[in-house]
Structures are given as structure tokens and as C-alpha cells.
């Protein structure tokens, strides 16, 4: 149907079930992509990214822009922080354990709870969709398309492949 999301629409219960394998795993690498994009590699580093050659895990969380990292009472750093603050802040996320992956708001904004009272949150500030993706160990991913939380399995191999 034209104008409908590419992936399968998911509920909050589906989201919890799909992200459950990430809960309890450490952030093994936190790095900055192009511009203000950040990526958290979740779980053991298992290989290298085919395009960049950088170490990667079977699961990762990417927020393309408009994000912040919070403590219980303040924003620690965010997409508009200085390069130095972002670099130091990302380094401080390495080794933290994922406690929860969820969404909040009418338009699904990502919220990742880490141990030590730290949260990563997306928040789009311009026209369009929240710009985040959770890449799951099976090769599928979660994101927002046309204001809807979706699970995309287009790159997941079929049984027997």
C-alpha cells in the first residue's frame, strides 16, 4: 500500500520481546559516526563492519542526530555538545550494561537505560521522523517509519540460506 511503512508495525510488547536479548549485555564500543550520529555496539565484538572496517557487535543502537545522554538530574552531553565532550562522554558509556530499551512519546523516541543511572534518548528537533535504529542480533532492525514503530526483516536470511 503506498505510504505505508516498509517494516511490520510492532507494539510495545513486541518491542520489549525483540530487545530482550540486549538487556544485560555491555556496551562494548561507543563511537561517533558522521556528523552527530552515535553508535553503541552491544555485546561482544564479533567482527568488522564491511564498509568501515571498524569493530562491530551482533547488536547495536544508532541515533543519527538529535540525542542526549542523561543522568538522574541533568543532561550529561548531547548532539550539540563539543566534540571533546561527546568523545569523553561516549568513552564513559563503554562497559555500562543495558537495562532496558524502550520508546516514549506520541512519535516513538528511543530511550535506552544503562546501569549507573544513565539514559540515552533520541529527540528529533526538525521535520520528519525520529532518526534512530536498533540493529538486532538476527539481522533485523527496529526504527520509526511514518510515525510508526516498525520491525524490518528485509536482510534476515530465510531458514536454510
Amino acid at each position: 500500500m503506498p505510504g505505508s511503512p516498509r517494516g511490520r508495525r510492532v507494539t510495545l510488547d513486541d518491542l520489549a520481546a525483540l530487545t530482550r536479548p540486549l538487556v544485560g549485555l555491555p556496551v562494548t564500543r561507543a563511537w561517533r559516526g558522521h556528523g552527530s550520529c552515535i553508535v553503541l555496539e552491544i555485546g561482544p565484538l564479533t567482527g568488522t563492519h564491511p564498509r568501515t572496517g571498524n569493530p562491530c557487535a551482533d547488536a547495536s543502537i544508532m541515533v543519527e542526530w538529535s540525542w542526549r545522554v542523561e543522568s538522574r538530574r541533568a543532561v550529561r552531553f548531547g548532539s550539540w555538545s563539543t566534540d571533546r565532550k561527546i568523545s569523553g562522554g561516549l568513552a564513559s558509556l563503554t562497559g555500562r550494561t543495558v537495562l532496558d530499551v524502550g520508546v516514549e512519546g506520541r512519535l516513538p523516541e528511543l530511550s535506552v537505560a544503562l546501569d549507573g543511572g544513565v539514559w540515552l534518548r533520541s529527540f528529533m528537533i526538525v521535520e520528519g521522523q525520529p532518526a534512530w535504529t536498533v540493529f538486532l542480533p538476527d539481522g533485523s532492525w527496529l526504527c520509526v517509519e511514518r510515525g510508526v514503530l516498525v520491525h524490518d526483516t528485509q536482510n534476515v536470511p530465510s531458514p536454510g540460506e
Side-chain angles (χ1 to χ4, degrees), residues 72-91:
R72 287 185 175 88
R73 293 191 174 103
V75 174
R76 296 175 64 176
F77 64 101
S79 51
W80 282 81
S81 295
T82 64
D83 289 342
R84 183 176 179 175
K85 186 77 169 175
I86 292 172
S87 294
L90 288 175

Side-chain angles (χ1 to χ4, degrees), residues 4-10 141 143 145-146 148-154:
S4 65
R6 218 179 35 218
R8 176 182 66 87
R9 185 177 187 157
V10 296
W141 65 89
C143 63
E145 292 179 2
R146 297 178 181 90
V148 175
L149 180 63
V150 297
H151 180 218
D152 200 323
T153 58
Q154 71 179 8

Side-chain angles (χ1 to χ4, degrees), residues 38-114:
I38 60 169
V39 179
L40 305 182
E41 302 289 349
I42 309 297
L45 297 175
T46 57
T48 56
H49 191 280
R51 286 184 294 212
T52 66
N54 292 323
C56 63
D58 288 339
S60 61
I61 296 170
M62 176 181 71
V63 184
E64 292 182 52
W65 58 311
S66 298
W67 53 268
R68 67 184 184 215
V69 173
E70 304 171 350
S71 63
R72 287 185 175 88
R73 293 191 174 103
V75 174
R76 296 175 64 176
F77 64 101
S79 51
W80 282 81
S81 295
T82 64
D83 289 342
R84 183 176 179 175
K85 186 77 169 175
I86 292 172
S87 294
L90 288 175
S92 76
L93 299 181
T94 301
R96 292 190 184 274
T97 301
V98 175
L99 301 179
D100 187 44
V101 179
V103 295
E104 298 175 349
R106 190 173 38 76
L107 293 174
E109 292 287 2
L110 184 67
S111 177
V112 180
L114 302 172

